[in-house]
């Protein structure tokens, strides 16, 4: 079925967070109900229903500086290969066009093959890594840092402001912002693993030291989405027991916007940038 022949596209509300979580859980993604509420509250989430059942979604999350992130492109197994993902991404792009927004997304290799022909341009690459902990903390937690410090570093790296997103992360139970020797990172809960990121540092050695301190103070599995070109950092993680799970390709649709002044070592996640 072509995208133009698809079923009605609807805008979802905050009451659809659980239905969205069902889709991302089916796909074995790490999002929580609170993650879905960020998209539903701060952005726009398009969906397709089959009767009362939500079967497909795509989200557009606006940031400052005419930037927006497309993510949560999900289709339940029984409704794949019907053009629903393209239909919903088109809805995101049309909304972005009307509002003068440049769109970004972090695609899997299969997704990149779809988004390229739509006009998305590849930028940087990411690598998701996982660390399985023993269940016992073996070291003290790093020093606590402020949301303002993280927000300032994030804006310098991204080139645009994400105060609403970082505030939502920081206010959650279990979240912490930590820092040491010029490095700063956010650690938050996920559905199946805790997530480290964004993470900023002056060099790879200090970034690795902060990740090691975080890992030693945690008891469960951890995920981190690293910038692939930070090769010394990536190699240090794999040497210390982290395993690469999958790559992501960051892509842009629309004109380039203000560039960041530094490259992060890890991002907030492929769904958030």
């Amino acid at each position: 079925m072509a995208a133009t022949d698809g079923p009605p596209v609807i805008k979802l509300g905050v009451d659809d967070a659980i239905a969205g979580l069902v889709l991302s859980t089916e796909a074995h993604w790490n999002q929580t109900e609170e993650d879905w509420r960020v998209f539903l509250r701060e952005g726009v989430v398009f969906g397709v229903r089959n009767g009362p059942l939500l079967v497909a979604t795509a989200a557009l999350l606006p940031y400052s500086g005419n930037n927006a992130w497309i993510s949560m492109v999900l289709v339940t197994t029984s409704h794949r290969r019907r053009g629903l993902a393209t239909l919903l991404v088109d809805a995101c792009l049309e909304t972005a066009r009307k509002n003068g927004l440049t769109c970004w997304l972090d695609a899997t290799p299969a997704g990149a093959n779809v988004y390229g022909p739509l006009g998305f341009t590849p930028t940087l690459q990411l690598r998701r890594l996982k660390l399985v902990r023993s269940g016992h903390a073996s070291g003290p937690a790093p020093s606590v840092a402020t949301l303002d410090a993280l927000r300032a570093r994030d804006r310098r790296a991204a080139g645009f402001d994400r105060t609403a997103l970082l505030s939502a992360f920081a206010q959650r139970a279990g979240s912490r912002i930590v820092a040491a020797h010029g490095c700063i990172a956010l650690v938050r809960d996920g559905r199946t693993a805790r997530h480290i990121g964004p993470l900023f540092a002056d060099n790879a050695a200090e970034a690795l030291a902060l990740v090691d301190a975080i890992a030693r103070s945690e008891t469960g599995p951890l995920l981190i989405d690293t910038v692939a070109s930070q090769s010394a950092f990536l190699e240090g993680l794999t040497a210390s027991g982290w395993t690469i799970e999958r790559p992501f390709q960051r892509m842009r649709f629309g004109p380039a916007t203000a560039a960041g002044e530094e490259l992060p070592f890890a991002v907030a996640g492929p769904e958030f940038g």
Side-chain angles (χ1 to χ4, degrees), residues 168-265:
F169 285 162
Q171 292 166 4
R172 296 179 186 178
S175 292
R176 54 189 179 127
I177 301 170
V178 297
H181 306 296
C183 308
I184 190 166
L186 186 142
V187 188
R188 72 181 194 274
D189 283 344
R191 186 181 63 85
T192 62
R194 298 264 284 167
H195 189 275
I196 301 173
L199 186 152
F200 309 101
D202 295 330
N203 57 65
E206 292 174 353
L208 287 166
L210 182 57
V211 169
D212 182 66
I214 292 170
R216 289 179 183 275
S217 66
E218 293 280 339
T219 60
L222 295 167
L223 292 174
I224 188 168
D225 294 301
T226 68
V227 175
S229 60
Q230 298 280 24
S231 55
F233 180 60
L234 182 58
E235 290 166 6
L237 290 175
T238 56
S240 61
W242 290 78
T243 57
I244 297 176
E245 285 208 323
R246 64 181 63 91
F248 292 99
Q249 174 67 64
R250 180 157 295 179
M251 308 183 82
R252 186 187 77 240
F253 186 94
T257 53
E261 298 176 23
E262 68 172 295
L263 193 63
F265 281 83

